[in-house]
Amino acid sequence: MYKIAVIPGDGTGPEVVTQGLRVLEKVSKIHGFSFETKMFDFGGDRYLKTGKTVDAHDIADLKQYSAIYLGAIGHPDVKPGILEQDILLKIRFDLDQYINLRPIKLYNKAFCPLKDKTEEDIDFVVVRENSEGLYKGLGEFKNKDTVDEVALQISYNTRKGVERCIRYAFEYTRKRNKRKTLTLCGKTNVLTYAWGLWQRVFNQVAAEYPDIKTDYAHVDATTMWFVKNPEWFDVIVTDNMFGDIITDLGAMVQGGMGIAAGGNINPQGVSMFEPIGGSAPKYTGKNVINPLAAICAVAMMLETLGEKAAAENIENAVIKITQTKLSSLSAGKMGYSTSEVGDLVIENLAQ
Ligand code: IPM
Ligand code: MN
């Protein structure tokens, strides 16, 4: 019996989570596992009413679950930073979800903005460090509000933090068993402290994985290759900030935010799965947002929980309807409503 903590969150989060849970319900019957859900109302609306975000008690509570399923966090009436820091990043940090796993896979070449690229060309995974780097929040203002003001924002990289991420990436590349190539994406030519450490640890760990080919790309060049030669990539490992940036580009080449899912993984603890697209306030409540990213997040959650057949079943149904039914992956242009796309996935699951 899996215990799933559900955080529908803000904007279109609740709409897409509803479809994800319908699909979860259906595959649980097909594949013979059971689950229970508990809803958590963290998000902008609760914050505006009560001033509450996520506290130590909530974190202790979340630790009791098998996994967390998140819709979106972000509210137009709340100043940027509050909900992101005190809900999303707080859960990632306090549950030590030190990997952000973001698969970039094109399901239908018609939805790829790149000319002449096919489904075979775009199939790679970004392993983003998820607990350190610039996201650590270290820094200060000096001489604030004067002409001599200096703002420091420090990238914090520990050997332990870097090593566990790189190890995870090597293990993942081995398990994935595709091109068996792991690319370190960094900026060793300028950010010599942070990337000096990453490069040294990467080389040391690589020696333990003779079966894995290694490569290195600067982050600026990586964005170029994503567009020019995405077929070069198998698994990419990078820090928190670069991972954030390159995975938005990755989402676009795989067909857009409507299809991009990610997992915030603590391999020894409680992980959290989410569509990476955000709360999309302008589409809220219209039943037009694409729920496939949220449905793919359910598949990632099941994969992590060990329900591989159920995860594959969902992915295959998503591939099928993406290839044969939807006219677009964008909100309002799919040819179907949010709930109808949920119906299509359910109808196309193998019984
Ligand atoms: C993401 C988002 C978050 C991040 C924001 C909302 C804090 O952009 O999940 O990629 O920067 O990690
Ligand atoms: Mn992001």
Side-chain angles (χ1 to χ4, degrees):
M1 168 74 96
Y2 301 111
K3 289 174 64 186
I4 313 293
V6 182
I7 309 172
D10 300 319
T12 50
E15 293 168 62
V16 296
V17 157
T18 299
Q19 300 311 315
L21 291 176
R22 288 179 65 213
V23 173
L24 179 60
E25 177 72 35
K26 185 74 187 182
V27 288
S28 73
K29 298 222 169 83
I30 297 173
H31 295 274
F33 63 86
S34 53
F35 70 96
E36 59 183 31
T37 54
K38 183 170 171 218
M39 295 292 165
F40 289 81
D41 61 353
F42 308 147
D45 287 333
R46 188 181 83 145
Y47 173 75
L48 289 169
K49 269 189 234 127
T50 66
K52 282 196 223 154
T53 50
V54 163
D55 61 21
H57 174 267
D58 298 322
I59 294 293
D61 200 1
L62 289 173
K63 284 187 179 156
Q64 308 306 309
Y65 287 82
S66 320
I68 304 166
Y69 183 40
L70 170 72
I73 295 292
H75 196 294
D77 302 337
V78 181
K79 194 172 128 230
I82 296 173
L83 304 173
E84 292 85 348
Q85 296 265 354
D86 296 350
I87 300 180
L88 184 61
L89 297 181
K90 185 167 176 63
I91 295 172
R92 287 178 182 172
F93 288 172
D94 287 6
L95 296 183
D96 206 17
Q97 294 164 343
Y98 62 85
I99 298 296
N100 198 325
L101 193 64
R102 296 189 162 180
I104 315 284
K105 192 167 173 182
L106 178 64
Y107 290 145
N108 178 350
K109 64 176 189 292
F111 302 145
C112 182
L114 306 178
K115 199 161 137 265
D116 302 331
K117 296 296 176 190
T118 68
E119 294 82 358
E120 288 85 66
D121 297 321
I122 298 171
D123 181 6
F124 58 95
V125 178
V126 175
V127 175
R128 165 185 175 190
E129 203 289 323
N130 210 32
S131 65
E132 299 191 337
L134 283 165
Y135 278 66
K136 191 80 179 174
L138 288 181
E140 62 175 305
F141 296 113
K142 291 183 179 172
N143 308 321
K144 195 167 181 203
D145 291 324
T146 73
V147 288
D148 294 317
E149 179 159 357
V150 179
L152 297 178
Q153 189 89 51
I154 294 167
S155 178
Y156 179 89
N157 300 266
T158 65
R159 173 172 280 267
K160 284 190 182 123
V162 170
E163 184 168 342
R164 66 183 181 173
C165 176
I166 286 174
R167 271 189 193 285
Y168 180 94
F170 273 102
E171 287 293 329
Y172 187 87
T173 309
R174 182 180 271 171
K175 224 178 74 207
R176 178 170 149 92
N177 201 19
K178 289 245 163 92
R179 297 183 57 227
K180 292 212 168 188
T181 305
L182 179 62
T183 304
L184 176 67
C185 163
K187 192 72 187 174
T188 53
N189 54 347
V190 178
L191 308 176
T192 50
Y193 296 110
W195 291 100
L197 174 63
W198 275 81
Q199 181 83 74
R200 272 183 282 126
V201 175
F202 186 77
N203 293 346
Q204 280 162 17
V205 177
E208 296 172 37
Y209 292 85
D211 53 321
I212 307 298
K213 289 188 280 298
T214 58
D215 202 353
Y216 172 83
H218 293 317
V219 62
D220 48 347
T222 301
T223 63
M224 175 176 72
W225 304 131
F226 270 24
V227 172
K228 198 167 179 277
N229 299 99
E231 66 278 8
W232 286 359
F233 294 111
D234 179 16
V235 182
I236 297 170
V237 63
T238 191
D239 79 351
N240 210 340
M241 186 77 260
F242 292 169
D244 178 48
I245 297 167
I246 67 174
T247 54
D248 266 27
L249 179 57
M252 286 303 122
V253 305
Q254 76 181 121
M257 285 300 178
I259 194 81
N264 302 275
I265 312 274
N266 175 341
Q268 290 84 36
V270 182
S271 299
M272 174 167 71
F273 300 85
E274 54 173 338
I276 76 173
S279 57
K282 73 173 176 187
Y283 297 120
T284 301
K286 301 200 163 116
N287 200 25
V288 296
I289 195 81
N290 186 345
L292 289 180
I295 291 169
C296 290
V298 168
M300 287 186 80
M301 177 167 78
L302 290 173
E303 165 95 35
T304 307
L305 290 172
E307 297 293 339
K308 299 217 181 317
E312 256 173 53
N313 199 350
I314 295 174
E315 191 185 13
N316 289 336
V318 170
I319 293 174
K320 195 163 162 203
I321 70 160
T322 303
Q323 291 182 346
T324 61
K325 300 279 185 191
L326 304 191
S327 42
S328 164
L329 294 176
S330 304
K333 298 179 185 153
M334 301 181 289
Y336 298 88
S337 67
T338 304
S339 46
E340 284 169 345
V341 173
D343 295 340
L344 282 174
V345 173
I346 290 169
E347 286 158 20
N348 283 280
L349 290 166
Q351 292 300 310

